[in-house]
Amino acid sequence: MERGYLLHSRPYRENSAIVNLLVDGAGRVDAVARLGSGKRSSRALLQPFQPLLFSLSGRGELKTLNQPEAYAPAIPLQGDALYAALYLNELLMRCLSHSHGGEGLFFDYHQTLMAMARNFSQPQLRYFELKLLMELGACPSLILDASGDAIEAGLGYRPGNEGGLVTSLQANAIPGRTLLALADQTLESQDFAAAKQLLRTLLAPFVGEKPLVSRQLFANRSRSE
């Protein structure tokens, strides 16, 4: 049996859906799920943030999902944590494909959801985004610049045209202290804005130009409070 999480689903043929999964050791897997009806229906089970056990069959890119069952209670996400988790799911859907499957992301994703359910904080998102960039092979060194020199806390940096980070005097340069804190997973409140700016810039080629719905939902929530 495989274990994984549902990232997204959409109706397919009668009484079935295409489900996009994050599978332990396999990364993103797309499959057809037969939903059933009545007491045998799996509709309530195939929901985001529900840890699942299942088997997969088929040789093509679109598999068939068989025998889904819960192997633990659904992770209880509320408020900001729920919106943040929806962002993670949308981010994975945009960034992962059959050529960039994210095979090593399952444990980090699970741990991030669990941490957010306990006590949501912004750095949890940044550290997961960093792990995603590493899986995509698109994360520059955060301790050495493009020339191989050590990142200095008092200098500013930006992504270089040829990869890596280069020193910068621009007003929106990323402080070296933020890069070092991100590498050590010790971000503090003064680092949040710069860390978000850097990671969004690095993820942009994978996310594409279409705005993320989850970001807008979170922004609307923040304005309404």
Side-chain angles (χ1 to χ4, degrees), residues 103-125:
E103 292 83 356
L105 284 173
F106 175 84
F107 182 73
D108 292 275
Y109 176 80
H110 174 72
Q111 290 293 98
T112 301
L113 293 184
M114 294 291 287
M116 291 194 304
R118 289 192 297 269
N119 184 26
F120 171 70
S121 66
Q122 192 178 138
Q124 294 160 351
L125 297 179

Side-chain angles (χ1 to χ4, degrees), residues 68-104:
E69 60 183 80
Y71 78 84
I75 296 179
L77 296 159
Q78 298 179 353
D80 288 349
L82 176 58
Y83 282 85
L86 291 172
Y87 164 70
L88 292 189
N89 280 11
E90 191 175 11
L91 186 64
L92 290 172
M93 286 293 297
R94 289 285 189 92
C95 294
L96 299 185
S97 65
H98 296 291
S99 57
H100 288 291
E103 292 83 356

Side-chain angles (χ1 to χ4, degrees), residues 189-202:
S189 57
Q190 66 264 31
D191 303 310
F192 290 175
K196 180 189 289 187
Q197 173 193 331
L198 172 67
L199 292 166
R200 284 194 177 184
T201 298
L202 295 173

Side-chain angles (χ1 to χ4, degrees), residues 9-19 31-36 43 62-64:
S9 67
R10 66 183 188 274
Y12 185 46
R13 295 171 180 166
E14 184 178 359
N15 211 27
S16 66
I18 291 180
V19 293
V32 175
R34 296 181 179 86
L35 300 177
R43 293 177 189 273
L62 188 62
K63 309 295 185 184
T64 298

